[in-house]
Amino acid sequence: MDPRISVIQGDITRQTCDAIVNAANTSLLGGGGVDGAIHRAAGPDLLAECRTLHGCDTGKAKITGGYRLPASYVIHTPGPIWRGGENGEPDLLASCYRSCLALAAEKGCKTVCFPSISTGVYHFPLAQAAAIAIREIRAFLAEHPLPEQVTMVCFDAKTKAAYDKALAER
Ligand code: ADP
């Protein structure tokens, strides 16, 4: 149904693609979870470049090199922290996916990998986050030739199941 979208279970730092997305925080100076894993795998030059960016607003995105990663670029996006759902969290999460895809297209990226933004320590409900992610990726790809392929890289089976379910629904 969606030949340009796939869902896999794996480690995003190991993906060979044009760009991986980092579920960052607004400082862009590193953190735990996938952010920590990406900085460890990329090496200290990534943090040095991030320091020049002076942070990023929630729902927006900024791009850097990939350094020691197999990906050429890292697109950093701070997802919303879940505070009950009445504080713009769904719109901000949708904006993360749109902002990342727009930056990727602008840089000519053909292949982009996303982690499950905001569903770790930011506690966005997984099923709702997956539905928003798939909806936004579908809508963007329907209007743009790039990226050609988008992969959701899920760290665990529960996360993969949620994105598989969202992809199966229309
Ligand atoms: P957030 O602060 O946006 O919630 P987290 O890093 O805490 O970000 O979690 C986001 C998702 O990334 C979670 O599903 C977590 O399991 C996952 N994750 C953690 N490490 C990796 C990794 N190396 N590759 C892919 N996903 C990862």
Side-chain angles (χ1 to χ4, degrees):
M1 278 304 282
D2 288 288
R4 292 166 67 194
I5 308 176
S6 42
V7 177
I8 65 167
Q9 188 176 338
D11 179 344
I12 203 165
T13 67
R14 310 294 281 264
Q15 304 304 313
T16 301
C17 56
D18 294 320
I20 63 168
V21 171
N22 180 15
N25 56 52
T26 54
S27 78
L28 299 186
L29 298 180
V34 71
D35 194 0
I38 288 171
H39 277 274
R40 276 193 300 279
D45 290 347
L46 177 61
L47 182 59
E49 185 176 358
C50 284
R51 285 192 200 286
T52 70
L53 300 177
H54 306 293
C56 183
D57 291 338
T58 300
K60 301 282 175 47
K62 292 189 177 180
I63 192 163
T64 65
Y67 301 95
R68 292 182 198 158
L69 289 163
S72 305
Y73 296 106
V74 180
I75 298 173
H76 307 263
T77 187
I81 299 169
W82 183 260
R83 293 194 176 91
E86 302 296 325
N87 302 282
E89 296 94 329
D91 287 346
L92 286 166
L93 185 63
S95 173
C96 286
Y97 284 91
R98 286 196 299 270
S99 301
C100 290
L101 289 164
L103 252 186
E106 192 184 308
K107 290 286 180 179
C109 296
K110 292 182 180 171
T111 52
V112 177
C113 290
F114 279 92
S116 178
I117 300 166
S118 284
T119 68
V121 298
Y122 283 2
H123 287 114
F124 202 108
L126 180 57
Q128 193 181 345
I132 290 167
I134 296 298
R135 182 192 76 209
E136 293 302 326
I137 294 167
R138 267 185 187 139
F140 190 92
L141 295 186
E143 302 284 334
H144 300 85
L146 286 178
E148 293 173 355
Q149 194 68 39
V150 174
T151 304
M152 289 298 318
V153 181
C154 304
F155 207 44
D156 54 38
K158 188 181 99 182
T159 303
K160 180 178 184 293
Y163 285 83
D164 279 336
K165 184 163 182 282
L167 194 57
E169 281 165 3
R170 266 275 160 205

